[in-house]
Amino acid sequence: MAVLSIPSQHPYVRSIYPRLTVHDVKVLDDPLLDPQEPARWWPHPAFTPQWWQQDTADTSWQDKQSIDTVHVHFGFEHLSVQETREFVAELRRRRIPLIITVHDIDNPHLNDQSSYHQQLRVLLEDAARILTLTPLASQRLTQEFNVDPARIQVVAHPQVVPAETTVQPAHPPVQVGTFLKSVRSNVVSDFQFYKDAAAQCAQQGQRLSVFIHQDQQDTELFKQLLRRY
């Protein structure tokens, strides 16, 4: 089986696909869009009908013809709703089933979710398989997107840190945690918000821990959190 995963080299995606040839699953590599930035796979050209209809430098025609299924994880928010429909139509025309793992019901890169939610509805309506990571996400897909719960499979987030990596437990132990990562567009960047949340946790005898990536160390939020914690 040949799988076009969009993307295929993200740490989450690499952790879920079998790596042994005994499984007879081939996951196509991400396209090389920019030799100066080899890790960048977005915007993925397979979202355009033109990519499927002609030979391209990133993927051979033979590999395109071998694709048995397309598995979309994320990276489609740059498309319009109509372009999303055209992508789905191209897969349908080629009789290639679509699998979607819904990582983000609300896209962390966007403030206005309206178009993204329309795109998500287009993909969900046509998907042969729908996966998501938590029971709450499954519930939202059912209630807000009218997806039959029988069509949704919940698969917990896998471990993405290599097994041999030594992980030091937090000290003191985390009671309540929030993960800001790189503070994307729809993440609250107001320090007062986390200060108030910490106060509410303290009223219930809990300690709030806030995690933020090192690439934010020059921001005011990072500096204030560092002083606070």
Side-chain angles (χ1 to χ4, degrees), residues 41 58 93 99 106 112 124 139 146 180 195 202 222 225:
W41 52 268
D58 58 78
R93 188 177 73 80
I99 301 171
D106 299 313
D112 183 356
L124 290 168
Q139 182 179 332
N146 298 317
L180 308 187
K195 185 177 180 180
F222 187 99
L225 288 170

Side-chain angles (χ1 to χ4, degrees), residues 47 138 177-178:
F47 282 122
S138 176
T178 183

Side-chain angles (χ1 to χ4, degrees), residues 36-155:
Q36 301 301 317
E37 195 179 356
R40 182 173 69 83
W41 52 268
W42 65 90
H44 202 292
F47 282 122
T48 65
Q50 293 78 11
W51 184 86
W52 293 89
Q53 296 166 5
Q54 58 190 19
D55 198 7
T56 54
D58 58 78
T59 308
S60 71
W61 178 253
Q62 182 178 0
D63 280 344
K64 292 179 185 181
Q65 293 295 99
S66 73
I67 294 171
D68 295 298
T69 187
V70 172
H71 191 166
V72 172
H73 290 271
F74 33 74
F76 54 86
E77 64 271 13
H78 65 286
L79 302 174
S80 68
V81 177
Q82 180 57 34
E83 288 171 332
T84 307
R85 293 192 182 102
E86 291 171 0
F87 165 67
V88 167
E90 186 66 29
L91 296 186
R92 187 180 298 173
R93 188 177 73 80
R94 296 175 178 276
R95 302 179 68 84
I96 296 176
L98 170 65
I99 301 171
I100 181 168
T101 295
V102 182
H103 294 262
D104 301 311
I105 296 179
D106 299 313
N107 191 296
H109 298 287
L110 305 173
N111 290 319
D112 183 356
Q113 302 290 333
S114 54
S115 292
Y116 176 77
H117 284 171
Q118 291 183 59
Q119 291 178 270
L120 195 52
R121 285 187 174 89
V122 171
L123 297 172
L124 290 168
E125 288 172 2
D126 211 73
R129 293 288 186 274
I130 300 170
L131 297 92
T132 195
L133 280 63
T134 67
L136 181 58
S138 176
Q139 182 179 332
R140 285 194 64 189
L141 292 176
T142 298
Q143 295 177 348
E144 300 175 29
F145 293 83
N146 298 317
V147 179
D148 182 346
R151 297 181 61 214
I152 305 171
Q153 182 176 357
V154 176
V155 180

Side-chain angles (χ1 to χ4, degrees), residues 161-224:
V161 177
E164 64 272 13
T165 302
T166 301
V167 179
Q168 297 294 333
H171 182 77
V174 174
Q175 295 175 315
V176 180
T178 183
F179 295 81
L180 308 187
K181 299 184 71 175
S182 294
V183 193
R184 294 169 178 171
S185 297
N186 72 344
V187 174
V188 176
S189 59
D190 180 6
F191 171 73
Q192 187 63 44
F193 174 86
Y194 301 101
K195 185 177 180 180
D196 292 344
Q200 291 184 28
C201 289
Q203 290 174 7
Q204 301 178 44
Q206 302 288 315
R207 183 179 187 275
L208 174 67
S209 297
V210 180
F211 299 86
I212 184 170
H213 284 182
Q214 287 288 341
D215 61 14
Q216 299 297 301
Q217 61 185 335
D218 292 331
T219 67
E220 188 60 28
L221 175 60
F222 187 99
K223 294 173 183 177
Q224 289 179 305

